Amino acid sequence: MNKELMEALDMLEKEKDISKETLFDAIENSLITACKNHFGKADNVKVEIDRETCDFLCYAEKEVVKEVEDDVLQISLEDAKAISSKAKLGDMLHVEIKSKEFGRIATQNAKNVILQKIREEERSVIYNQYYEKEKDVVTGIVQRYIGRNISINLGKTDAVLNESEQVRGENFKPTERIKVYILEVKNTPKGPRILVSRTHPELVKRLFETEVTEIKDGTVEIMSIAREAGSRTKMAVRSNNPNVDAVGACVGMNGARVNSIVEELRGEKIDIINWDENPGILIQNALSPAKIVAVFADPDEKTAKVVVPDYQLSLAIGKEGQNARLAARLTGYKIDIKSETQAKDAPGFRYEDYEYDDEEYDEEYYDEDSYDEEYEGEYEDAESDEGLEE
């Protein structure tokens, strides 16, 4: 019997990751509970279990008295002598309790105590396991739709992908494997409740940390990220090693690294730019692929005025203002974009402040694939005479 008990404990420890010591404590408490149900009280009951052999001893501490008034707490001298010949009045004697004598109800209650403890520990183990993964990315399997929410199996438990955390246009089929960002892990009476997201900007950041070795080892650092889930992400990176190109490391050979992340995000476009401590240069980089004539940034007010060539105004603003909006989030600056013509008409404008050399931009590299089809070619007509404030 003891051998079978040991094997059962080993199996529980392995399958449910519950420590054997916790299981021994549960068995001890269950025996004490059984004694309480059998005798009515168990204040003087002790249980000892040998951790190596699983042999256990259940006994009650009873006082040796001349006349017994409470047979649960006391034992007569005559009965005590039968157990130990050295017993005398006033001694505390350990009287063994035979667990086989417990009634059916007491035994069932003891069993329930053990099962309840196992369930509690199992929930606790799962909670601790996923609490450590909070703010991280995990792979899950789509289970089913619950209304407009999606149940995602993470292995030992299920997570909930709420409608608000789903990317518009993404549809999943049962058994499909997807990566999700763990937003929060709550401990509830029914077990851990895990909330995950597909829209959080940190999802993209964690995917790059997993995919790009240079980010994982700290050579390349992600400084800022702005995302409109399902459409476009802008990410600013810098290198802590002058011999490593931060953007190139993130893009990978023939775009292999960034393409794997784009595939996971179902075609979401990703713009990767170089971070710069100079806010003017950073804003210029953030507005790429648009060419910039000049940037005037106010670090105190966190505002910036940007002038672009007339035919680049639409590209700088982006479809429905997306390019400027993401650039503003990425840099933390409120950006006012004007074309050269609009800037010239503005009070206090001096043309020489905005002059630029076309050749400077001819030498710059950009990925033509990052352009939306709507922006290919030149833009002769500006969308707004007022510019865009973001």
Side-chain angles (χ1 to χ4, degrees), residues 51 63 130 142 144 185-186 203 208 221 256 266 269 297:
R51 269 50 173 173
E63 183 183 3
Y130 286 98
V142 176
R144 63 190 181 279
V185 181
K186 297 179 181 178
L203 172 63
F208 271 100
E221 190 175 355
R266 308 296 177 92
K269 296 179 177 65

Side-chain angles (χ1 to χ4, degrees), residues 10-226:
D10 288 337
M11 187 178 298
L12 280 171
E13 184 177 44
K14 183 178 180 181
E15 290 184 357
K16 299 187 180 295
D17 201 21
I18 301 174
S19 70
K20 203 178 293 183
E21 186 62 34
T22 300
L23 296 171
F24 279 126
D25 290 341
I27 294 172
E28 290 176 354
N29 291 331
S30 71
L31 288 170
I32 291 175
T33 301
C35 290
K36 187 172 183 179
N37 289 324
H38 186 72
F39 300 112
K41 64 175 87 172
D43 297 339
N44 62 327
V45 175
K46 304 293 182 184
V47 177
E48 295 178 357
I49 300 179
D50 189 314
R51 269 50 173 173
E52 300 297 327
T53 64
C54 278
D55 291 331
F56 68 91
L57 175 64
C58 183
Y59 62 88
E61 291 183 336
K62 294 186 178 183
E63 183 183 3
V64 180
V65 295
K66 184 180 292 185
E67 186 175 341
V68 176
E69 296 179 355
D70 187 341
D71 59 359
V72 175
L73 301 176
Q74 299 171 335
I75 186 172
S76 66
L77 180 60
E78 183 181 349
D79 291 339
K81 289 284 188 180
I83 297 172
S84 174
S85 57
K86 296 181 180 180
K88 58 182 183 295
L89 293 174
D91 286 351
M92 295 301 294
L93 197 66
H94 290 178
V95 180
E96 184 178 358
I97 299 173
K98 300 293 184 180
S99 58
K100 291 182 180 180
E101 298 175 0
F102 294 157
R104 181 180 61 82
I105 295 177
T107 304
Q108 184 64 39
N109 288 339
K111 175 184 175 182
N112 291 338
V113 169
I114 296 175
L115 292 176
Q116 180 64 23
K117 183 63 175 178
I118 290 174
R119 283 192 292 266
E120 288 176 0
E121 283 301 312
E122 188 176 7
R123 288 196 291 263
S124 177
V125 166
I126 292 173
Y127 171 78
N128 292 331
Q129 179 182 344
Y130 286 98
Y131 183 76
E132 292 176 358
K133 296 181 179 180
E134 198 175 65
K135 313 303 179 190
D136 205 351
V137 170
V138 296
T139 300
I141 299 175
V142 176
Q143 294 288 91
R144 63 190 181 279
Y145 277 83
I146 307 173
R148 295 187 176 180
N149 300 333
I150 303 175
S151 174
I152 309 290
N153 181 263
L154 302 182
K156 293 185 177 181
T157 188
D158 290 345
V160 179
L161 179 61
N162 289 324
E163 182 185 10
S164 60
E165 298 298 334
Q166 298 173 29
V167 176
R168 185 177 299 176
E170 277 192 347
N171 294 308
F172 303 109
K173 298 177 181 178
T175 72
E176 190 172 356
R177 299 177 69 87
I178 62 172
K179 292 186 183 296
V180 291
Y181 177 77
I182 298 181
L183 281 176
E184 186 179 17
V185 181
K186 297 179 181 178
N187 205 1
T188 70
K190 294 183 178 180
R193 177 177 170 81
I194 304 172
L195 302 177
V196 295
S197 172
R198 285 278 294 176
T199 62
H200 203 285
E202 287 289 314
L203 172 63
V204 181
K205 184 176 181 181
R206 294 285 182 262
L207 289 175
F208 271 100
E209 288 174 351
T210 303
E211 188 70 28
V212 181
T213 308
E214 290 81 357
I215 294 178
K216 191 182 300 183
D217 64 21
T219 304
V220 174
E221 190 175 355
I222 298 175
M223 302 301 296
S224 181
I225 191 164

